[in-house]
Amino acid sequence: DTEVTQTPKHLVMGMTNKKSLKCEQHMGHRAMYWYKQKAKKPPELMFVYSYEKLSINESVPSRFSPECPNSSLLNLHLHALQPEDSALYLCASSQERRWARGSDEQFFGPGTRLTVL
Amino acid sequence: RKEVEQDPGPFNVPEGATVAFNCTYSNSASQSFFWYRQDCRKEPKLLMSVYSSGNEDGRFTAQLNRASQYISLLIRDSKLSDSATYLCVVISSNTGKLIFGQGTTLQVKP
């Protein structure tokens, strides 16, 4: 099973709402990632979890709060977002962060398309 | 200078054509290289890893030239279904992060 799943597929929220995005993988991967992608741009890294610990935060505003409850699950909690936060939010996973020794392919979920009104 | 650079295209080619994309990277210590494919409003999907020895998967051939710091992707006998954006990806040797190129758009026409 080489699948990363994400829910919901689409989300529309107001600027005062609180919502959460969910990501799940059952490939035994120990690294999980959140990316944000705007139209016609490549994905931008937001957060990296390695062995369930936050290892990289790319200076993301605090209105985005990641959580890794266990090795298979990754959440992104959203609060007080702005319209410019509307984007495709992609979750990815990889076997482990052993880039120094070779390939470390990341597998992406289908994404959550978020619209902030 | 961007860490990973690609010609954004678009490349418009007829079915059956051979098309090649190039990508350059700036960090000579980079270790891992990939091509991802992304269809409109979908997630990126891994197409191929890229090795110094080159690798081939059916109609797709990827090459890595470390001396010149570029990666290439060759698609032979293009199909309509090859229409997509192709993302060149380099793993940063310093941080392990994926560094994406801007993507090259391919449109295969009948």
Side-chain angles (χ1 to χ4, degrees):
Chain A
D1 182 8
T2 55
E3 192 178 58
V4 178
T5 58
Q6 288 187 244
T7 55
K9 286 188 177 177
H10 301 275
L11 178 63
V12 179
M13 61 187 289
M15 289 191 282
T16 58
N17 292 157
K18 283 186 182 181
K19 297 285 184 184
S20 296
L21 309 185
K22 296 187 184 302
C23 173
E24 191 167 5
Q25 57 88 13
H26 293 290
M27 295 179 276
H29 288 175
R30 303 313 300 268
M32 296 185 76
Y33 310 79
W34 280 114
Y35 289 86
K36 172 182 177 179
Q37 187 175 25
K38 298 283 246 182
K40 300 192 186 300
K41 298 285 188 184
E44 296 173 29
L45 183 66
M46 299 175 72
F47 302 103
V48 181
Y49 273 82
S50 180
Y51 290 86
E52 298 154 55
K53 289 188 172 22
L54 182 65
S55 59
I56 293 179
N57 175 341
E58 290 287 280
S59 303
V60 179
S62 60
R63 58 186 184 269
F64 295 92
S65 174
E67 179 198 15
C68 188
N70 60 54
S71 59
S72 300
L73 292 173
L74 187 65
N75 298 323
L76 186 63
H77 303 298
L78 315 173
H79 174 53
L81 295 195
Q82 304 295 311
E84 59 265 28
D85 296 322
S86 299
L88 179 68
Y89 287 84
L90 293 159
C91 174
S93 70
S94 64
Q95 196 157 16
E96 60 178 306
R97 300 193 67 216
R98 51 184 177 85
W99 62 89
R101 292 184 281 145
S103 65
D104 195 12
E105 300 95 336
Q106 290 186 17
F107 297 89
F108 286 83
T112 293
R113 192 160 296 280
L114 174 68
T115 303
V116 182
L117 301 176
Chain B
R1 184 186 171 189
K2 290 180 183 169
E3 286 192 68
V4 179
E5 296 207 55
Q6 290 181 255
D7 180 348
F11 284 60
N12 294 304
V13 303
E15 268 187 293
T18 296
V19 62
F21 306 138
N22 287 330
C23 165
T24 57
Y25 61 95
S26 60
N27 186 342
S28 60
S30 299
Q31 294 289 331
S32 299
F33 310 89
F34 306 96
W35 284 101
Y36 279 75
R37 170 197 168 126
Q38 187 168 25
D39 292 282
C40 187
R41 301 179 70 82
K42 300 281 190 182
E43 75 275 22
K45 289 190 194 256
L46 179 65
L47 181 65
M48 301 178 78
S49 301
V50 189
Y51 306 114
S52 297
S53 53
N55 48 312
E56 188 173 314
D57 182 3
R59 299 181 292 109
F60 298 84
T61 301
Q63 292 276 355
L64 166 64
N65 184 319
R66 285 191 185 272
S68 302
Q69 293 179 214
Y70 81 78
I71 306 145
S72 64
L73 178 68
L74 183 77
I75 305 175
R76 290 180 296 278
D77 187 22
S78 301
K79 311 290 184 194
L80 296 175
S81 57
D82 294 334
S83 299
T85 296
Y86 291 83
L87 294 159
C88 173
V89 178
V90 175
I91 292 191
S92 165
S93 56
N94 299 325
T95 64
K97 298 179 197 176
L98 261 61
I99 310 296
F100 288 86
Q102 290 296 304
T104 298
T105 299
L106 172 66
Q107 187 69 42
V108 181
K109 298 190 181 298

